[in-house]
Amino acid sequence: MNYHKECEHCHHRVSVYTYNLNTGKVMALRKLVDYYESMKKPVDLGELELSNSQYTNFCHLQYFNLARHIPEGWIPTEDGIAFIHGEVSVTVPAAVMDGQILPSDHEAWGTHD
């Protein structure tokens, strides 16, 4: 995706970044869901025995509404649990600009292949 916005006053430029799901992210989500379903409480990522890549990219699950970080730790969303159980699908990729997830009707999607 090739989309940018520039502030006309300060010329600060923000860009859109896209994120995909991959096997590592889904396996990390699986560990979170398994933990949450058995313990019924948020978890610190260090307790899930994730690979370095899974740990680093775990936050991307938020862009798909599959996991959420709260002050006590990470929890799966209802969609995250349903996704792991094969009950819902997600749209990929997800696009983020200036910390905000872009809706599917945002003009930036017009620049996506």
Side-chain angles (χ1 to χ4, degrees):
M1 190 172 295
N2 187 16
Y3 185 85
H4 313 279
K5 275 201 168 184
E6 187 173 301
C7 175
E8 59 189 56
H9 301 289
C10 69
H11 302 289
H12 175 72
R13 188 174 181 179
V14 292
S15 299
V16 174
Y17 296 95
T18 56
Y19 299 90
N20 284 301
L21 280 180
N22 60 28
T23 303
K25 290 176 191 173
V26 173
M27 289 173 57
L29 177 62
R30 175 83 224 200
K31 288 182 178 186
L32 175 65
V33 169
D34 289 347
Y35 178 93
Y36 188 78
E37 287 183 329
S38 68
M39 304 300 280
K40 304 291 187 213
K41 66 178 190 172
V43 64
D44 179 70
L45 289 186
E47 296 179 48
L48 295 180
E49 298 181 10
L50 303 175
S51 71
N52 187 46
S53 177
Q54 288 173 318
Y55 186 91
T56 302
N57 294 304
F58 195 90
C59 62
H60 299 168
L61 293 171
Q62 296 177 105
Y63 304 148
F64 301 96
N65 190 37
L66 299 174
R68 182 176 311 122
H69 187 257
I70 60 174
E72 298 82 18
W74 286 90
I75 58 171
T77 62
E78 288 183 25
D79 284 347
I81 294 169
F83 178 78
I84 287 299
H85 292 295
E87 299 166 359
V88 299
S89 59
V90 296
T91 302
V92 292
V96 178
M97 182 172 71
D98 202 22
Q100 300 297 314
I101 301 165
L102 300 184
S104 60
D105 62 349
H106 191 278
E107 64 186 22
W109 286 109
T111 67
H112 185 61
D113 293 338

